[in-house]
Amino acid sequence: MPILKGREGMQRRRNEVPDKIRKILRGAARAGATVIADDAKQRVASDAVREGVIIGRSKEVDERITVKIAVKEGWARSLGTWLEYGTSAHFISVDPNFAEGRTAARVNKLDTDAAKEGRSGPGATLVINGKPVGATVFHPGTSAEPWLRTARDVKARDAIQTAQEYITTRVKRSTPTTDGEV
């Protein structure tokens, strides 16, 4: 009568497969996202945005593995959004909470003096080309210069191929070998 050895080990290995597959798929998603993020960094016109591009953690949502490419919070994210989608025409003015009754020229002067002394001034001001521009200025808006969506569209196939290579490599590496025993 044949004797089976390692039955418990094989059963344990079979039970681990779904978790291992999930882990492999999450890694594949990050590998694909890296391809898109790298291309996006080359396309964006701002060093601040380029340095702020990050790949988030992969996660499972409704049985789908997702990963998010974003820009770190702060100025770089705002700039990245404005570059991606453009801006409408709008007015810009000195925030009254920071002006404290001062004119825009006075607030700008205080900020300029403070900056020269290495300290922060009274707050949000509007200086263009080193000159105070008044309490309000009209900005004509900017046209969109898509960089992230373009990278996603152009590099989608390369990202899928990279993800597939990631999966293939990991699956081959984790394939069980037989030692001749049945």
Side-chain angles (χ1 to χ4, degrees):
M1 170 177 227
I3 297 173
L4 295 175
K5 294 183 179 180
R7 180 183 295 175
E8 294 85 19
M10 285 304 289
Q11 183 60 41
R12 187 173 51 249
R13 190 162 173 81
R14 275 195 296 273
N15 291 340
E16 292 173 357
V17 167
D19 290 336
K20 287 186 177 183
I21 289 174
R22 227 178 255 107
K23 186 175 180 180
I24 289 171
L25 291 176
R26 288 180 69 160
R30 284 188 55 83
T34 300
V35 171
I36 294 169
D38 289 346
D39 189 67
K41 288 177 185 179
Q42 291 176 3
R43 291 177 184 281
V44 71
S46 164
D47 289 338
V49 176
R50 186 175 300 109
E51 293 169 10
V53 172
I54 55 173
I55 300 170
R57 294 178 56 97
S58 62
K59 58 184 175 181
E60 193 171 347
V61 178
D62 298 329
E63 298 185 10
R64 292 182 63 194
I65 306 290
T66 63
V67 67
K68 188 181 211 177
I69 301 170
V71 180
K72 291 178 187 174
E73 287 187 29
W75 172 248
R77 181 178 289 178
S78 297
L79 187 55
T81 302
W82 297 331
L83 287 169
E84 184 76 20
Y85 298 102
T87 61
S88 300
H90 57 281
F91 286 95
I92 303 172
S93 61
V94 175
D95 185 340
N97 293 327
F98 291 105
E100 298 174 347
R102 301 179 188 107
T103 66
R106 178 70 180 139
V107 172
N108 284 329
K109 171 135 180 46
L110 292 172
D111 271 356
T112 303
D113 293 345
K116 286 178 185 175
E117 296 172 9
R119 58 185 174 80
S120 60
T125 64
L126 211 55
V127 177
I128 298 176
N129 294 327
K131 298 177 185 173
V133 294
T136 304
V137 67
F138 179 74
H139 189 290
T142 61
S143 57
E145 297 177 26
W147 54 278
L148 186 54
R149 292 174 295 164
T150 303
R152 180 200 58 203
D153 294 345
V154 169
K155 290 295 184 175
R157 282 190 174 164
D158 292 343
I160 291 168
Q161 182 178 353
T162 299
Q164 181 60 58
E165 290 168 2
Y166 182 97
I167 292 167
T168 302
T169 301
R170 297 320 185 275
V171 169
K172 282 182 181 177
R173 208 184 304 160
S174 66
T175 302
T177 59
T178 58
D179 57 4
E181 293 182 23
V182 179

